[in-house]
Amino acid sequence: MRNARLAVVASVWQVVYGVVHVWWAVDAPQGLARESYFPGGWLPVGIAVVAFAGCGSVAVGAARGLRPAGRYAVAGLNALAGIALCAYSFLFPVMLASILFEDVTADTVTRLLASGSGAVGGVLCLALAARERRAAARACASCGRVHGRSPEHRDERSPAWAYAGAYLAVAGYLARMAVWLDAAIADTWPSAASRANGISVPAMVVFLGLMGLAGTLLPLALAHHWGRVWPAWLGPLAGRPVPRWLVLGPGLFMGGSLAAYFGVAGMSAWARGDIDGPFLTLLLELGGYTLWGIGLLVASASYFTLTKPPCPQHAVGGNGHQRRNSSRSLA
């Protein structure tokens, strides 16, 4: 029932978003600035139609009682629409931050509302996708796990795909740093633009150090056991759980930022010819950042599951089962 209510709200949201973009595609207001790096016109309308189909399928499926295979299909459709909307509207955080430093005009507000509406619509689709997947897998209503198949505590081993994501992120970081190393050897680092902006070399060294941590320690911590439980050599902390968001927060933030800024904006600008430079250099730089971000997001997904708090309902059920068995044996 909760899925159905959320689906109705999400469907209405997608309709409004789509109608506004139909109006803009047919008769765009004079001087309307672009809300996305992607082309406007009918593209957001098409995404809105897919999003409406996904959200509407959840509402219809809730009324008719879809089978698990149908729920998986609906979850996939909503995930696709949610990713498309979020990718199209990924400039929303940038626009939101820019109002702190720029004059707020009617055009700024319009772009902010349009991009924000797309981002909210994408999140609604992703939320419905997650709920439908849980329903299809008959996941626990209390914690979202499929008991017996999902990890129950952080001591369990990360899946192979989490390790693949972590080492993909490290590979992407190394590809990006190969460009920096080439510039350092050629004595073209720091760049002329950095010098003109007055950025000091010590500040850039500190920045490079933080990049190194985010490109090696962070992805490895997301996959390896020592990123979830403090290792033995840390003395008093040994064996204690690592605070979940100490690792997961930077992983999601860095992963999302790199994948969106370089994977979506950077690659789009390169494809349009807006960025000039040697092919190999751009491939290593933009491609490295993109793989780095994607790898972090993949490893973060595993970390998110492995570090969930224990399921109280499952624990109580286990204790109750044990108590019933004990009573029978005494009888």
Side-chain angles (χ1 to χ4, degrees), residues 228-244:
R228 302 186 297 275
V229 178
W230 294 114
W233 55 268
L234 284 178
L237 291 176
R240 295 178 180 272
V242 176
R244 188 186 197 198

Side-chain angles (χ1 to χ4, degrees), residues 57-148:
S57 297
V58 175
V60 173
R64 296 189 176 182
L66 280 180
R67 293 183 177 182
R71 286 188 178 274
Y72 277 123
V74 170
L77 181 60
N78 275 282
L80 177 65
I83 292 171
L85 277 170
C86 289
Y88 186 81
S89 309
F90 85 94
L91 281 179
F92 174 64
V94 178
M95 295 177 185
L96 194 61
S98 67
I99 64 176
L100 301 174
F101 309 100
E102 300 176 1
D103 294 333
V104 179
T105 63
D107 182 60
T108 303
V109 174
T110 301
R111 292 173 61 223
L112 186 66
L113 289 175
S115 185
S117 298
V120 171
V123 171
L124 288 172
C125 284
L126 292 175
L128 287 173
R131 291 187 177 191
E132 285 298 291
R133 186 205 64 81
R134 289 181 181 179
R138 294 183 173 87
C140 175
S142 179
C143 68
R145 293 182 176 92
V146 180
H147 294 299

Side-chain angles (χ1 to χ4, degrees), residues 147-317:
H147 294 299
R149 295 193 322 212
S150 300
E152 298 290 344
H153 53 78
R154 61 178 63 208
D155 284 327
E156 297 187 30
R157 181 180 172 82
S158 298
W161 54 265
Y163 284 98
Y167 284 94
L168 179 69
V170 174
Y173 162 74
L174 293 177
R176 169 61 185 93
M177 294 311 292
V179 178
W180 171 83
L181 182 61
D182 180 67
I185 293 173
D187 199 24
T188 57
W189 182 87
S191 65
S194 297
R195 293 191 185 99
N197 290 331
I199 302 176
S200 66
V201 173
M204 297 190 71
V205 170
V206 171
F207 178 74
L208 285 173
L210 294 175
M211 277 185 63
L213 293 176
T216 55
L217 184 66
L218 178 58
L220 296 179
L222 286 167
H224 288 273
H225 181 262
W226 52 263
R228 302 186 297 275
V229 178
W230 294 114
W233 55 268
L234 284 178
L237 291 176
R240 295 178 180 272
V242 176
R244 188 186 197 198
W245 291 100
L246 180 67
V247 180
L248 184 58
L252 290 173
F253 177 78
M254 285 288 298
S257 299
L258 292 174
Y261 189 79
F262 293 99
V264 177
M267 289 296 188
S268 300
W270 188 20
R272 291 197 305 267
D274 296 340
I275 300 178
D276 295 324
F279 175 81
L280 182 59
T281 299
L282 290 175
L283 179 64
L284 288 173
E285 187 168 359
L286 295 178
Y289 275 128
T290 302
L291 293 180
W292 184 0
I294 292 173
L296 283 174
L297 289 177
V298 170
S300 294
S302 169
Y303 193 93
F304 176 83
T305 302
L306 282 165
T307 56
K308 280 184 177 181
C311 176
Q313 182 176 337
H314 187 61
V316 169

Side-chain angles (χ1 to χ4, degrees), residues 319-331:
N319 291 339
H321 181 66
Q322 291 176 2
R323 282 196 296 269
R324 284 193 297 272
N325 286 346
S326 299
S327 300
R328 288 173 184 169
S329 63
L330 288 174

